[in-house]
Amino acid sequence: MTLALRASRFIHSLLVSFTLMALPLTAPALAADKVELSVDVSKAGAKIDRNIFGQFAEHLGHGVYEGIWVGPDSTIPNTRGIRNDVVAALKALKVPNVRWPGGCFADEYHWRNGIGPQRAVTLNPNWGGVIEPNTFGTHEFMDFLDQIGSNAYVSVNVGSGTPREGAEWLEYMTAAQPTTLAKERSANGHPAPYKIPYLGIGNESWDCGGNMTPDYYLSQLKIYSRFVRNFNPAQQTSQQMLRVAVGPGGNEPRWTEWTEAIMKAYQQHTWSWDFNGLSMHSYTVVRWPPSFKSVGFGETEYAQILKSTLEMDDLITKHSAIMDKYDPQKKVGLVVDEWGGWYAPLPGSNPGFLVQQNSLRDAILAALNLNIFARHADRVRGANIAQMINVLQAMIITDKEKMTLTPTYYIFKMYVPFQDATFVPVTFDVGTYTHGDTSLPRVDAIAAKDAAGKLWMEITNIDPEQPVEIEANLAGITAKSAAGETLTAPKVDSVNTFDTPNTVMPKPISAKIQGGKLALRLEPKSVTVVSVEQ
Ligand code: AHR
């Protein structure tokens, strides 16, 4: 949270207290409150790395099999086994990278099972103990990325693999010279080396990735970062592969110690080992095991989940401060490569498949988190929502030939203009929304300037009952017109289903420029993105 935001929140809470003391008990319902925002385009900040809009596709439930891969013989329209409807939908999100093959799955994944004409049939012990046919392997993943126009973020197996296995996988994927592994890749249909821009070295190595201590993990990190090499000639001097080390998983002291240990070692790293990103995982769950419902809930659960999701800000602030201590030049990016709402499995579903619905609440949750990442753009250089299809807070839900786009999908679509845009600070009074004993800020907003110099603003009204009148003072530009979209729905738990796919989707909003100021009315429980023409 910026200092300005904290100060305005404090002033606002004082004002609210005084106002409440002065109000008679029978006060009439409030009309739409006016909230003033100030944006100064000349005060540009860090670049909002497009990689914060990354996705995560683990071999888990129907995330990969059925969600992406139906096989070339399927009656569902597909290109080389990859479903066409899903590809078309994802293209529109300009997905910057996809993290694969896990998650916990990655530390039990042996890449040789997933190449060539004969695939080994194995098990997926983490996620329901089901059969893993390995029909979706390295080549299918790369084909999928090509089809959606995205980049690979490959997680290498540190938990049950070996440095040699990891090194050989990377040689298989990236070598251009005619090594035995490169020739095998070519024989399997891809003569040209693949580009691997991001490499995750292990996943949650403090838990499902092998229950390692920080020191044990550090010894593995040094070995993997040295020997798991990228040989692609196009990635030697520019576009070098960025290596992401395992980082914290929450707010407990053990993760503060983890970040301390890894970053302290980084400060003293030598030429022979290095990393460029520190991963962080943080789900919005409130209680473990996940027990909040993903549909059929009321305002209490709405307010509690959104309050809880805002803890992401403190978590990033805390771990960024540790990183600043050992890496003041901010060479290492914080990569929040698993985040999102994690709720109780839908009744009747396999609990190991992490199936949940996706509501308007999740759309707002996504917007709040993306705004937090944008505010920390100087340190947060990547994030991957969990997960892309059919698992946890998904973009897309499928059932055989049917597909629906979730409210979260539309948020990612609305935020496309913020990819690689330059952060512009916004000051405003966040206000307070209270339900029962849960209070949280009522309004959230970010602004950014795209490559063409156009100003984009996102404003969220969390309050599910009260609209808000926005008046934004725009300095540094001569605003002429504004246009945008807003996403809301009848209820906080409104969802899109196969039968009613358009319940939660963005609609055009009318925004005016009056006397150089932007004026618009925000619906209750809404996310709005507007652009300003000058
Ligand atoms: O996203 C589901 C699981 O959550 C991942 O496999 C694991 O990394 C995390 O605990």
Side-chain angles (χ1 to χ4, degrees), residues 497-513:
T497 65
F498 300 120
D499 297 331
T500 56
N502 303 330
T503 307
V504 195
M505 64 186 303
K507 295 176 185 63
I509 187 171
S510 76
K512 289 188 201 122
I513 299 291

Side-chain angles (χ1 to χ4, degrees), residues 121-138:
V121 175
T122 55
L123 291 173
N124 189 337
N126 281 293
W127 305 117
V130 295
I131 289 280
E132 166 57 56
N134 284 301
T135 42
F136 189 89
T138 302

Side-chain angles (χ1 to χ4, degrees), residues 9-81:
R9 197 178 280 187
F10 175 69
I11 292 165
H12 185 269
S13 55
L14 281 181
L15 284 174
V16 168
S17 317
F18 288 132
T19 315
L20 286 179
M21 279 191 280
L23 272 181
L25 288 175
T26 53
L30 294 169
D33 278 354
K34 195 177 208 170
V35 172
E36 269 192 55
L37 288 88
S38 293
V39 181
D40 185 348
V41 179
S42 64
K43 293 198 177 124
K47 183 178 89 171
I48 302 171
D49 197 314
R50 61 195 289 261
N51 285 306
I52 71 164
F53 301 93
Q55 299 284 336
F56 174 32
E58 180 166 14
H59 287 233
L60 193 176
H62 295 307
V64 168
Y65 298 107
E66 296 193 22
I68 299 173
W69 179 257
V70 287
D73 300 331
S74 171
T75 53
I76 299 171
N78 68 83
T79 302
R80 296 179 293 280

Side-chain angles (χ1 to χ4, degrees), residues 56 58 103-104 127 203-204 281 283 338 342 354 387 392:
F56 174 32
E58 180 166 14
C104 297
W127 305 117
N203 170 77
E204 300 193 352
H281 291 180
Y283 286 96
E338 287 188 30
W342 189 329
L354 311 186
Q387 297 194 6
L392 299 175

